[in-house]
Amino acid sequence: MKELIKQWHGESVVISFHQPTGTWIFIAIHSTVLGRAVGGCRMREYESPEDGLLDAMRLAEGMTYKWAAAGMEFGGGKSVLGVTGHLDYPNRADVLRRLGRLIDSLCGAYSTGEDLGTTPEDMAIVAEETQWVHGIHPGARAVDPGPYTALGVFVGIRAAVSHVFGSEDLTGRTVVIQGVGDVGEPLARRLLAAGAEVIVCDLDEGLARRVSSELDVEAVVPHLVYARMCDVFAPCAVGATLNGDTIPQLQCRIVAGAANNQLAEPRDADRLRARGILYAPDYVINAGGAIALPSLDSGMVTNEQVEERIQGIEPRLLEIFAEASRNDESPLYAAQRMAERILARKRGAQRPPRES
């Protein structure tokens, strides 16, 4: 773990171990240049604690770029709960309260919200220990960011289809959704309403069957999902699913989905481009939930205004695609430059003037 931290370019890492459950708790703060670090809490099993720490650091860095690309004044942070098997309610609640106390000890340097593996109800438990939780409104149910993320991915897919095919019309376009949980299912419903043909896949075969039956769409088994012919492949589950093994299998023109850190390594962006596949950078297209929760928490905007902000993902991606085409490069690099320009301007504004 010390070697991983030495190699990281972020600002700080908090590590805690919950002995009763064997859960590792990581809070990674990558950058506070734009403001307080904000990022969701992920809960999942990892092969080793080091894998959990690495995931937290990568996700925190992705949040820095996500906030910059979205034009939001927040920094990049993430929390990860590396569990060992299923936690029953008392133990799960204990872990979440420990996380809440850790977050509270940071005095506002980091705030969290729901992410993969956690729920709005989980965030309500964290909020018992700290005020630094997004999506918790007094007297109301915790806000679920999933449908907002799905909206952003939907308009992002529309932008990608427009760039590749010359029209944003989704009628007859086939979209394969890998992962039909909190984001994948509402995304599927939006795509179907827009006239697209949807194919679903999930490691949870029972969930895949349920969504397939309810929406009357085809389901494909996980080991065949990459080779399924489609217009758009939408990764909406865990990260690093696009790599040197899976990219050669793809039979699509576009990759556009909700998962964080979809590429196993940066050169996977070039692998996609070499195959003629347009890649919608994940931290741009999946920003809908991140945009929604702090906006709603402010109490200054309506749900309609939040959705209007999320719609801004579409023109932002069109701009990124256009720049990448002009430079004959992957959209990943155009998106990084856009975010880095915003961060550089903020750093410049924070420097004290030189004495004459």
Side-chain angles (χ1 to χ4, degrees):
M1 287 191 195
K2 290 195 316 188
E3 288 304 313
L4 288 173
I5 295 170
K6 284 180 182 179
Q7 297 167 20
W8 195 46
H9 300 296
E11 294 181 6
S12 60
V13 174
V14 177
I15 301 175
S16 180
F17 182 67
H18 187 257
Q19 193 169 19
T21 62
T23 299
W24 285 93
I25 303 173
F26 304 104
I27 300 173
I29 298 177
H30 178 258
S31 173
T32 54
V33 168
L34 294 178
R36 180 181 74 250
V38 177
C41 173
R42 174 166 297 198
M43 182 187 291
R44 59 168 293 196
E45 291 188 68
Y46 293 91
E47 290 188 6
S48 70
E50 291 80 6
D51 289 336
L53 172 60
L54 181 61
D55 201 21
M57 294 191 298
R58 291 187 65 202
L59 290 164
E61 184 172 0
M63 288 304 302
T64 295
Y65 283 87
K66 181 180 294 189
W67 291 125
M72 304 282 283
E73 294 189 348
F74 294 110
K78 207 78 173 184
S79 49
V80 162
L81 304 175
V83 298
T84 55
H86 174 72
L87 296 180
D88 59 21
Y89 175 77
N91 283 319
R92 186 182 184 100
D94 284 348
V95 169
L96 292 165
R97 291 191 181 98
R98 169 75 71 84
L99 172 66
R101 291 192 293 273
L102 284 174
I103 292 172
D104 203 60
S105 73
L106 299 176
C107 302
Y110 166 74
S111 59
T112 193
E114 181 193 346
D115 194 74
L116 182 72
T118 58
T119 67
E121 291 73 24
D122 289 334
M123 292 303 102
I125 295 173
V126 176
E128 293 175 7
E129 304 291 337
T130 181
Q131 64 176 308
W132 303 107
V133 182
H134 289 288
I136 304 296
H137 299 156
R141 184 179 183 275
V143 176
D144 181 0
Y148 295 102
T149 303
L151 172 59
V153 175
F154 171 76
V155 300
I157 288 174
R158 204 164 55 189
V161 166
S162 175
H163 183 79
V164 171
F165 299 110
S167 169
E168 68 175 21
D169 186 6
L170 297 177
T171 304
R173 298 291 176 196
T174 302
V175 182
V176 170
I177 301 177
Q178 181 189 41
V180 285
D182 198 39
V183 176
E185 182 175 350
L187 173 61
R189 294 181 186 277
R190 282 190 176 274
L191 289 166
L192 288 169
E197 297 180 9
V198 172
I199 299 168
V200 299
C201 174
D202 201 285
L203 288 175
D204 183 337
E205 294 182 4
L207 175 61
R209 285 195 299 271
R210 178 186 67 76
V211 174
S212 170
S213 175
E214 287 184 7
L215 302 185
D216 192 23
V217 299
E218 178 186 348
V220 61
V221 294
H223 72 278
L224 297 177
V225 67
Y226 299 101
R228 187 66 171 81
M229 188 80 72
C230 59
D231 296 300
V232 181
F233 181 76
C236 295
V238 297
T241 57
L242 298 173
N243 52 54
D245 294 328
T246 60
I247 289 172
Q249 301 177 48
L250 292 175
Q251 302 296 318
C252 61
R253 291 293 308 281
I254 296 164
V255 167
N260 288 307
N261 297 331
Q262 295 168 23
L263 307 179
E265 54 184 346
R267 64 177 175 171
D268 290 322
D270 296 316
R271 289 189 175 112
L272 288 169
R273 181 174 168 275
R275 294 212 52 220
I277 299 171
L278 180 71
Y279 173 60
D282 49 18
Y283 57 80
V284 180
I285 193 172
N286 69 9
I291 292 170
L293 293 193
S295 300
L296 291 169
D297 285 349
S298 72
M300 305 293 289
V301 295
T302 64
N303 187 69
E304 291 72 20
Q305 289 170 320
V306 169
E307 292 190 354
E308 186 176 344
R309 288 182 181 179
I310 295 171
Q311 296 275 353
I313 290 172
E314 184 169 7
R316 197 170 299 124
L317 277 172
L318 287 172
E319 180 183 344
I320 289 168
F321 295 150
E323 181 176 333
S325 293
R326 289 193 299 271
N327 294 332
D328 196 23
E329 64 183 0
S330 168
L332 177 66
Y333 306 124
Q336 287 176 337
R337 282 196 304 274
M338 179 184 71
E340 285 164 1
R341 287 194 296 267
I342 294 168
L343 290 166
R345 285 198 297 268
K346 186 68 172 181
R347 290 189 191 101
Q350 291 172 346
R351 292 193 189 101
R354 291 183 179 179
E355 294 183 4
S356 57

